[in-house]
Amino acid sequence: MADAAHHDKTARQLRLLSDALDSGRLGPVRRLVNTLSPAEIGNLLESLPPAKRNIVWGLVDPEDDGEVLVHVGDDVRESLLAEMDTDEIVAAVEDLDIDDLAELAEDLPDTVIEEVLKSMDRENRERLEQVLSYDEDSAGRLMNPDVITVRTDVTVDVVLRYLRLRGEIPEHTDHLFVVSRRHQYLGRVSVASLLTHDASTPINELFNDEQPAIPVDTSANDVASQFSDHDWISAPVVDNNNILLGRITIDDVVDIIRDHAAHQALSAAGLDEDEDMFSPVPRAARRRAVWLGINLLTAFLASWVIGRFEGTIERLVALAVLMPIVASMGGVAGTQTLTLMVRGMALGQVGMGNVGALLNKEVMVGLLNGLAWAVVVGCVAALWFGDWPLGGVIAAAMVINLVTAALAGVGVPLLLRRLRIDPALAGGVVLTTVTDVMGFFSFLGLATLVLL
Amino acid sequence: MADAAHHDKTARQLRLLSDALDSGRLGPVRRLVNTLSPAEIGNLLESLPPAKRNIVWGLVDPEDDGEVLVHVGDDVRESLLAEMDTDEIVAAVEDLDIDDLAELAEDLPDTVIEEVLKSMDRENRERLEQVLSYDEDSAGRLMNPDVITVRTDVTVDVVLRYLRLRGEIPEHTDHLFVVSRRHQYLGRVSVASLLTHDASTPINELFNDEQPAIPVDTSANDVASQFSDHDWISAPVVDNNNILLGRITIDDVVDIIRDHAAHQALSAAGLDEDEDMFSPVPRAARRRAVWLGINLLTAFLASWVIGRFEGTIERLVALAVLMPIVASMGGVAGTQTLTLMVRGMALGQVGMGNVGALLNKEVMVGLLNGLAWAVVVGCVAALWFGDWPLGGVIAAAMVINLVTAALAGVGVPLLLRRLRIDPALAGGVVLTTVTDVMGFFSFLGLATLVLL
């Protein structure tokens, strides 16, 4: 993959828009904004500081308001909703699909939810309540109850006539679902097969029952991997009795994959993927302070270890100069192993079946690199301070810390998973604590033993 | 999002498979493997150590071999191809779609390519050569030339009869593309509209020309963002003269998004997203050595800065104990800003229009957190060493380094982008070099001025 500086179109739009806003010409801004898709408008709003964001939000075609709200993070959504009165919010969201409405529901004021529910017919109200009853990160919450079903005992012709009568087909319908009289899921018929087969062909000759439906309590991540493993466009969702409840479509899955990637990247730095790039300073500072505080504790731990060797450093100040090198190399090597592990675990590629082989390989890699860089660092240190025993000590500490880093890189994420803590979130902090402590301890400890 | 330990199904399969392999019962292994989709088999192969991987690869249904090869990383692909002879490879790949074949082509031996080209008819051979002539990360390389086109002057009935005659529709066909006599792209007709409209409706009443086609030289990342901005299933690709060349489908886009996320996560640790989890130890060690070497240079730079203050540390060894705290807090705070920037840049949300406002916000956040943690660290240091001026020095250094971290967190990725270096790759190293150097320099420098 090339570098990350893509999405040039958005950057260009942002520039144009910013210039137009600065000059106060709102007509061109309105025209520019309303050529964009709701997802693009959402992206643009995310990238604007609050004052400009509110101006642009006021210029968005009210018809797109609901879709735009679906496409922004929680923080930005909150700031946009704060600019609207109840009537505007109700008008914006009442025409959304059930799954989109469910996604917004928890951010909407109670009065709005009541109004929206009142404006719906009974069937849709019940559907929304059903979707909302499932866990947030489950298939039930992702599904849309608006599904076209057919029965086995009809022909292609009957189905085609039914579709023509219906007049509208839900977006991303690549399959119709075949159900029993009791609405149990039996299989699926591709739209392509309806187009290519003779009108008199019975549905039971076309339908495919190989792939079971997705149980409603499947996790969102599992749904995403099933979609990409099977190249699905849409998939049926069923309850425990195999009753068809709705369907999930690829557009929602793409959002899950993107959100998951954002979560992985941001949580490693102690950030929230829903954070507004322009969230108010006190709020942003408060959120990040927690992460800095955790890191401060681990930094104090490392300092305490160094403090145990104050006497040694007093007698040989070169140790203070060199000690960050051992700690830092351990942190870098350990992070490499950790990153591979976290990714492998997210893909389900790490389990009891291969963890021994993995540990073995990582320790060997750590040992090889430890030996190689020990020679380099040892020689540089010895020549710098004219002290060959000092070079020997830092070389030995380097080997010890790079092997420790490999052990921690494999062990820490496994331990965190066992403790039900997200390794993508906490892995880095725990790992560097281990490599810092071991780096300082092995270097200063060996120095105390050998050099004094 | 919940934690990353998902994909439980794969982990379970891995366990089952590993047990069966250990017991030498290959029958159950073969049955288990061949219930999986090619993507799932690929995932499983990635997670097996080389010896077991080769056994399982031998058990995969030869019909799936080609698809499996498409679904694994470069390193693993190379190891699988090494187990096959030319005839097997040719048999595996000759039935692949053109876009998949193009993806594999560079990893195949020349003799295989020649054989495959010979086995193709002239039309497909020309198509493959055309696809291969485009840049690797461009729309041209992602497209499949197998497209259904229609003309404006026909009716729905004619199209339906044509499809029935054709008998087969390429996967993920949600739209047919409307072209002129010269094969120029004019617009698209949804399959849904063919199903819901009367047979006598002319195509020119149904077709949609609002969305322009994707130019063949568009970057893969741009293609991915257009797909997710517009919720497309498929999109047409055209050359400079608007001649329709092929189409890109959502399954390839999902792969791009996943690869891009993997690239972002792994490159931050100096790793390659195509790396085999079980690559041979010498090769893995060599690859990682480069990253460790770069880090070593920056660590020596930090040590050199500390070395400038040897005299100061000699007289006040508490400085050596406390100095890692200032550097480490700067690194953590800077990484938070950097992570937000890299993500915003990847989404096109950062440009000249808002970078001033962003810098302003980040510096304020850095200042607030700097002041807050300066008080904590200053008090702890003063009480620990019974030295209030020392507490004051570390507090001041903390504020300086957290503001520096904010400046570097915003500035470093912008500078790298200008230099055409991927900020996701190099941002972390450059940033922590800045915060380490400034952390040690400000703390030890202030100490020299104030405390001696």
Side-chain angles (χ1 to χ4, degrees):
Chain A
M1 306 289 298
D3 80 276
H6 280 287
H7 231 298
D8 295 338
K9 199 178 143 207
T10 318
R12 211 163 47 235
Q13 286 161 352
L14 179 62
R15 181 77 185 265
L16 278 174
L17 199 87
S18 215
D19 289 349
L21 280 171
D22 287 337
S23 69
R25 290 172 290 121
L26 295 188
V29 175
R30 185 195 299 270
R31 275 193 298 279
L32 178 65
V33 168
N34 290 312
T35 60
L36 303 178
S37 74
E40 289 172 315
I41 297 174
N43 201 20
L44 206 56
L45 290 172
E46 297 249 13
S47 67
L48 290 172
K52 288 185 182 173
R53 182 186 292 160
N54 291 340
I55 296 175
V56 173
W57 180 227
L59 299 174
V60 173
D61 184 342
E63 222 170 80
D64 286 340
D65 280 0
E67 289 276 344
V68 172
L69 286 171
V70 174
H71 281 96
V72 294
D74 289 352
D75 272 14
V76 173
R77 185 180 298 154
E78 203 183 292
S79 79
L80 297 179
L81 286 171
E83 296 293 305
M84 302 168 81
D85 60 33
T86 307
D87 289 349
E88 283 175 320
I89 302 178
V90 172
V93 305
E94 65 186 353
D95 291 328
L96 288 175
D97 284 344
I98 299 283
D99 53 341
D100 289 338
L101 199 48
E103 201 186 323
L104 287 187
E106 58 209 19
D107 291 331
L108 297 176
D110 287 347
T111 49
V112 171
I113 305 258
E114 274 167 40
E115 284 296 316
V116 172
L117 284 174
K118 250 190 270 172
S119 76
M120 290 174 127
D121 60 29
R122 190 168 146 240
E123 190 188 4
N124 274 325
R125 189 158 55 234
E126 283 176 4
R127 283 171 164 183
L128 177 61
E129 282 165 352
Q130 188 188 23
V131 168
L132 284 173
S133 73
Y134 298 110
D135 271 356
E136 204 188 333
D137 277 321
S138 73
R141 204 58 172 273
L142 294 166
M143 74 184 179
N144 192 323
D146 192 10
V147 174
I148 302 185
T149 56
V150 294
R151 298 274 280 283
T152 46
D153 54 5
V154 297
T155 60
V156 166
D157 187 47
V158 172
V159 175
L160 290 178
R161 270 187 290 138
Y162 165 67
L163 293 177
R164 228 166 282 141
L165 200 70
R166 203 176 188 277
E168 204 191 3
I169 295 182
E171 262 195 303
H172 304 153
T173 296
D174 63 326
H175 286 89
L176 309 184
F177 299 136
V178 182
V179 293
S180 71
R181 229 167 260 281
R182 288 185 44 227
H183 214 67
Q184 282 176 309
Y185 177 73
L186 299 177
R188 50 190 204 155
V189 179
S190 77
V191 167
S193 70
L194 295 178
L195 289 172
T196 53
H197 283 81
D198 203 76
S200 62
T201 318
I203 290 299
N204 65 19
E205 279 183 22
L206 297 183
F207 92 112
N208 178 330
D209 58 359
E210 274 178 29
Q211 196 65 51
I214 297 175
V216 70
D217 55 358
T218 308
S219 76
N221 276 336
D222 251 8
V223 169
S225 43
Q226 288 190 42
F227 264 78
S228 65
D229 284 346
H230 298 283
D231 286 349
W232 288 334
I233 299 299
S234 68
V237 177
V238 293
D239 70 9
N240 290 336
N241 300 314
N242 202 31
I243 303 289
L244 182 67
L245 299 175
R247 93 194 160 111
I248 297 176
T249 49
I250 184 76
D251 51 325
D252 294 318
V253 171
V254 168
D255 290 343
I256 296 170
I257 294 173
R258 295 185 85 115
D259 285 352
H260 186 66
H263 170 77
Q264 296 271 42
L266 294 176
S267 70
L271 298 166
D272 187 320
E273 71 266 29
D274 278 313
E275 179 154 336
D276 176 0
M277 200 157 66
F278 288 101
S279 61
V281 170
R283 181 197 252 186
R286 209 177 331 113
R287 282 185 182 170
R288 295 196 208 166
V290 178
W291 194 246
L292 287 165
I294 294 169
N295 179 73
L296 184 59
L297 286 178
T298 77
F300 271 126
L301 182 63
S303 285
W304 177 80
V305 172
I306 300 169
R308 297 301 84 201
F309 298 96
E310 252 182 275
T312 311
I313 295 171
E314 212 151 29
R315 290 165 66 182
L316 191 62
V317 78
L319 297 176
V321 176
L322 294 172
M323 68 186 184
I325 294 175
V326 181
S328 145
M329 290 290 274
V332 171
T335 301
Q336 294 191 312
T337 304
L338 176 75
T339 305
L340 273 189
M341 281 291 290
V342 168
R343 175 161 184 249
M345 285 163 71
L347 295 173
Q349 290 178 344
V350 176
M352 293 315 292
N354 62 1
V355 81
L358 251 179
L359 184 66
N360 204 26
K361 174 211 152 200
E362 289 298 321
V363 169
M364 287 305 298
V365 171
L367 188 63
L368 269 186
N369 265 316
L371 289 169
W373 292 110
V375 173
V376 175
V377 173
C379 289
V380 172
L383 294 170
W384 184 353
F385 293 96
D387 182 344
W388 284 94
L390 175 65
V393 165
I394 198 170
M398 185 72 88
V399 176
I400 292 172
N401 207 27
L402 259 61
V403 171
T404 305
L407 291 169
V410 174
V412 165
L414 291 173
L415 182 72
L416 290 173
R417 181 164 69 175
R418 171 92 25 125
L419 299 174
R420 301 192 169 280
I421 300 171
D422 182 0
L425 172 72
V429 180
V430 178
L431 177 103
T432 52
T433 304
V434 172
T435 52
D436 276 359
V437 166
M438 182 51 93
F440 293 131
F441 180 76
S442 61
F443 180 51
L444 298 174
L446 280 175
T448 308
L449 289 177
V450 175
L451 302 177
L452 298 189
Chain B
M1 303 291 299
D3 81 275
H6 280 288
H7 230 298
D8 295 337
K9 198 178 143 206
T10 319
R12 211 164 46 235
Q13 286 159 352
L14 180 62
R15 180 78 185 263
L16 278 174
L17 199 88
S18 214
D19 289 348
L21 280 171
D22 287 337
S23 68
R25 289 172 290 121
L26 296 187
V29 176
R30 184 194 300 271
R31 274 193 298 279
L32 178 64
V33 168
N34 290 313
T35 60
L36 303 178
S37 74
E40 289 172 316
I41 298 174
N43 200 22
L44 205 56
L45 290 172
E46 296 248 14
S47 67
L48 290 172
K52 287 185 182 174
R53 182 186 291 160
N54 291 339
I55 296 175
V56 173
W57 182 226
L59 300 175
V60 173
D61 184 343
E63 222 170 80
D64 286 339
D65 279 0
E67 289 276 345
V68 171
L69 286 171
V70 175
H71 281 99
V72 293
D74 289 352
D75 273 14
V76 173
R77 185 181 298 153
E78 203 183 290
S79 79
L80 298 178
L81 286 170
E83 296 293 306
M84 302 168 81
D85 60 35
T86 307
D87 290 348
E88 283 174 321
I89 302 178
V90 173
V93 305
E94 65 185 355
D95 291 329
L96 288 175
D97 285 343
I98 300 283
D99 53 341
D100 289 338
L101 199 47
E103 200 186 324
L104 286 187
E106 58 208 18
D107 292 331
L108 297 176
D110 287 347
T111 51
V112 171
I113 304 256
E114 275 168 41
E115 285 294 316
V116 172
L117 285 174
K118 251 190 272 173
S119 75
M120 290 175 128
D121 60 30
R122 191 168 145 241
E123 190 189 4
N124 274 325
R125 188 160 53 236
E126 283 175 4
R127 284 172 163 182
L128 177 61
E129 283 165 352
Q130 188 188 25
V131 168
L132 284 173
S133 72
Y134 298 110
D135 271 358
E136 205 188 331
D137 277 321
S138 73
R141 204 59 171 272
L142 293 167
M143 73 184 180
N144 192 325
D146 193 10
V147 174
I148 301 184
T149 56
V150 295
R151 300 273 280 283
T152 46
D153 54 6
V154 297
T155 60
V156 167
D157 187 45
V158 172
V159 175
L160 290 178
R161 271 187 290 137
Y162 165 68
L163 292 177
R164 230 168 279 143
L165 200 71
R166 203 177 189 277
E168 204 191 2
I169 295 182
E171 261 194 304
H172 303 155
T173 296
D174 64 325
H175 286 89
L176 308 184
F177 300 136
V178 182
V179 294
S180 71
R181 231 166 260 281
R182 289 183 46 228
H183 214 65
Q184 283 177 306
Y185 176 73
L186 298 177
R188 49 188 206 157
V189 179
S190 76
V191 167
S193 70
L194 295 178
L195 289 172
T196 51
H197 282 80
D198 202 74
S200 62
T201 317
I203 290 299
N204 64 19
E205 280 183 21
L206 297 182
F207 92 112
N208 177 330
D209 59 359
E210 274 179 29
Q211 195 65 51
I214 297 175
V216 71
D217 56 357
T218 308
S219 77
N221 277 337
D222 251 8
V223 170
S225 42
Q226 287 189 44
F227 263 79
S228 64
D229 284 345
H230 298 283
D231 286 349
W232 288 334
I233 300 300
S234 68
V237 177
V238 294
D239 70 8
N240 290 334
N241 299 314
N242 201 30
I243 304 288
L244 182 67
L245 299 175
R247 84 190 170 119
I248 298 176
T249 49
I250 184 76
D251 51 325
D252 294 318
V253 171
V254 168
D255 290 343
I256 296 169
I257 294 173
R258 296 186 83 114
D259 286 352
H260 186 65
H263 171 76
Q264 296 271 44
L266 294 176
S267 71
L271 297 167
D272 187 320
E273 70 267 29
D274 278 313
E275 180 153 335
D276 175 1
M277 201 157 66
F278 289 101
S279 61
V281 170
R283 179 196 254 187
R286 210 175 332 111
R287 283 185 180 169
R288 294 196 208 167
V290 178
W291 194 245
L292 287 164
I294 294 168
N295 179 72
L296 184 60
L297 286 178
T298 78
F300 270 127
L301 182 63
S303 285
W304 177 81
V305 172
I306 300 170
R308 299 300 84 200
F309 299 96
E310 253 182 275
T312 311
I313 295 171
E314 212 152 28
R315 289 166 65 183
L316 192 62
V317 79
L319 296 175
V321 176
L322 294 172
M323 68 186 183
I325 293 175
V326 181
S328 144
M329 289 291 273
V332 171
T335 301
Q336 293 192 313
T337 303
L338 176 76
T339 305
L340 272 189
M341 282 290 291
V342 168
R343 173 157 186 252
M345 285 163 71
L347 294 174
Q349 291 178 344
V350 176
M352 294 314 293
N354 61 1
V355 81
L358 250 179
L359 184 67
N360 203 26
K361 175 209 151 201
E362 289 298 321
V363 169
M364 287 306 298
V365 171
L367 188 63
L368 269 186
N369 265 315
L371 289 170
W373 293 111
V375 173
V376 175
V377 173
C379 291
V380 172
L383 294 171
W384 185 352
F385 294 95
D387 183 345
W388 284 95
L390 176 66
V393 164
I394 197 169
M398 185 71 89
V399 175
I400 293 172
N401 207 26
L402 260 60
V403 171
T404 305
L407 292 169
V410 174
V412 165
L414 291 173
L415 182 71
L416 289 172
R417 181 163 70 173
R418 170 93 26 126
L419 299 174
R420 302 194 168 277
I421 300 171
D422 181 0
L425 171 72
V429 181
V430 178
L431 177 102
T432 51
T433 304
V434 172
T435 52
D436 276 359
V437 166
M438 183 50 94
F440 293 131
F441 180 77
S442 62
F443 180 52
L444 298 173
L446 281 175
T448 307
L449 289 176
V450 175
L451 302 178
L452 297 189

